[in-house]
Amino acid sequence: MKIFGIIDLSTLDYPKRCSSVVFMSGCNMRCGYCHNYLHMKRNTRDIPPYKVYKSIDLTFSEAIVISGGEPTVQPQTLIEFCRIVKREENLPIKLDTNGSNVDVVKELIQEGLIDYLAVDVKCAFEKYWDIAQYEGSKIEDNVKKLIKICKKEGIFIECRTTYIPEKMDKEDIYTIVNTVKGCNLYALQQFDSEHCWKEEYRKMREPTLEELVELGNVAKEYIPNVVVRSKEGILYL
Ligand code: SF4
């Protein structure tokens, strides 16, 4: 299992629960604003899933979050790790994904291995190539499929967008929320320029809380539950 980090205790990564977070290496996208891209290339270690599980201090954890990178690019180890966590601790598991691999997520859900799915919807789909160097039409289809599967199986699904004002506008949010309107929660996240791996993004302006709230209210026209996550805190609209 290729990982580049573990956080033993987080209060931010699993909504309303203390959690431990495992960061799996590898990704099939190349988002210019990624904070982990260079870090995961430099700091990846290959450790058997059981050893990863044993090395997490779960003393205060009520859940596990599997993040990355993109965890589904290591499908077998991801599944094995989730099986170990469920067998040994039976803790709720949240999976963070970029939505590129529906089949792996479906397998995890059908085996009862995940409880919360957080899917990045990075931008309006025609802008995907510019922002994530990935095919947007594929993600558009996948997100619709993931929402459908989660609804059928009773899994909580969050869709989330990191808002970059110099790359996006209100129309993008309309496009996104129109596609993800069946999700349980839509999150607008504040773009943080400081740790972007591409220099171009490090020069871009960050959105204000007021802008995010205004866009969040646009999202609320389609989705009942909307949250804004910014450096100033978490705001449920
Ligand atoms: S999908 Fe996530 S991990 Fe992959 S490049 Fe984009 S932000 Fe980074």
Side-chain angles (χ1 to χ4, degrees):
M1 183 174 186
K2 291 181 179 145
I3 63 163
F4 64 95
I6 289 172
I7 296 175
D8 288 321
L9 186 61
S10 162
T11 54
L12 298 172
D13 289 273
Y14 198 121
K16 299 178 183 171
R17 284 178 193 263
C18 293
S19 62
S20 299
V21 189
V22 177
F23 295 93
M24 290 181 69
S25 296
C27 190
N28 47 6
M29 295 191 186
R30 283 170 63 86
C31 308
Y33 64 86
C34 184
H35 288 184
N36 293 335
Y37 201 79
L38 297 178
H39 186 60
M40 79 182 153
K41 281 189 181 275
R42 289 177 192 140
N43 296 311
T44 290
R45 288 165 298 150
D46 198 356
I47 306 170
Y50 191 75
K51 274 201 169 172
V52 173
Y53 156 69
K54 286 302 279 181
S55 64
I56 308 170
D57 181 350
L58 291 167
T59 312
F60 299 106
S61 292
E62 302 164 304
I64 297 269
V65 176
I66 306 173
S67 191
E70 171 51 37
T72 65
V73 301
Q74 300 184 62
Q76 286 318 314
T77 39
L78 170 62
I79 291 167
E80 197 184 332
F81 180 72
C82 290
R83 283 180 185 149
I84 292 165
V85 170
K86 286 292 181 191
R87 186 184 69 223
E88 303 287 330
E89 306 286 339
N90 200 21
L91 285 172
I93 298 178
K94 170 172 171 270
L95 176 69
D96 292 344
T97 179
N98 62 20
S100 58
N101 200 333
V102 173
D103 290 342
V104 176
V105 176
K106 193 173 173 186
E107 199 174 332
L108 288 162
I109 289 174
Q110 288 179 339
E111 215 187 296
L113 295 174
I114 56 172
D115 307 87
Y116 192 125
L117 186 69
V119 185
D120 289 341
V121 183
K122 295 184 179 293
C123 49
F125 303 100
E126 73 272 11
K127 292 186 181 175
Y128 251 77
W129 197 258
D130 175 35
I131 291 176
Q133 294 186 15
Y134 201 83
E135 200 186 319
S137 57
K138 184 177 172 199
I139 297 300
E140 186 174 10
D141 287 348
N142 284 1
V143 168
K144 287 178 189 164
K145 283 181 193 159
L146 289 170
I147 291 172
K148 208 168 161 188
I149 295 164
C150 286
K151 291 219 121 175
K152 183 166 171 255
E153 304 289 338
I155 303 297
F156 192 96
I157 179 166
E158 168 190 321
C159 292
R160 57 194 188 179
T161 304
T162 298
Y163 186 73
I164 310 169
E166 293 186 30
K167 290 278 185 187
M168 305 172 188
D169 57 26
K170 200 189 273 190
E171 286 308 309
D172 295 75
I173 301 303
Y174 271 116
T175 305
I176 293 167
V177 293
N178 197 27
T179 302
V180 308
K181 58 192 170 202
C183 70
N184 299 101
L185 177 68
Y186 179 65
L188 268 165
Q189 305 185 143
Q190 192 171 33
F191 162 64
D192 169 2
S193 62
E194 192 185 343
H195 302 103
C196 301
W197 73 285
K198 277 195 183 169
E199 196 186 347
E200 175 199 349
Y201 283 78
R202 290 199 294 272
K203 292 177 184 156
M204 288 181 191
R205 130 179 130 73
E206 297 176 356
T208 63
L209 179 58
E210 290 70 28
E211 275 177 289
L212 293 171
V213 169
E214 191 191 330
L215 294 165
N217 285 324
V218 167
K220 273 205 75 105
E221 292 171 28
Y222 293 77
I223 302 167
N225 298 314
V226 175
V227 63
V228 167
R229 298 189 183 125
S230 76
K231 288 174 184 169
E232 287 157 78
I234 296 173
L235 189 62
Y236 284 84
L237 301 181

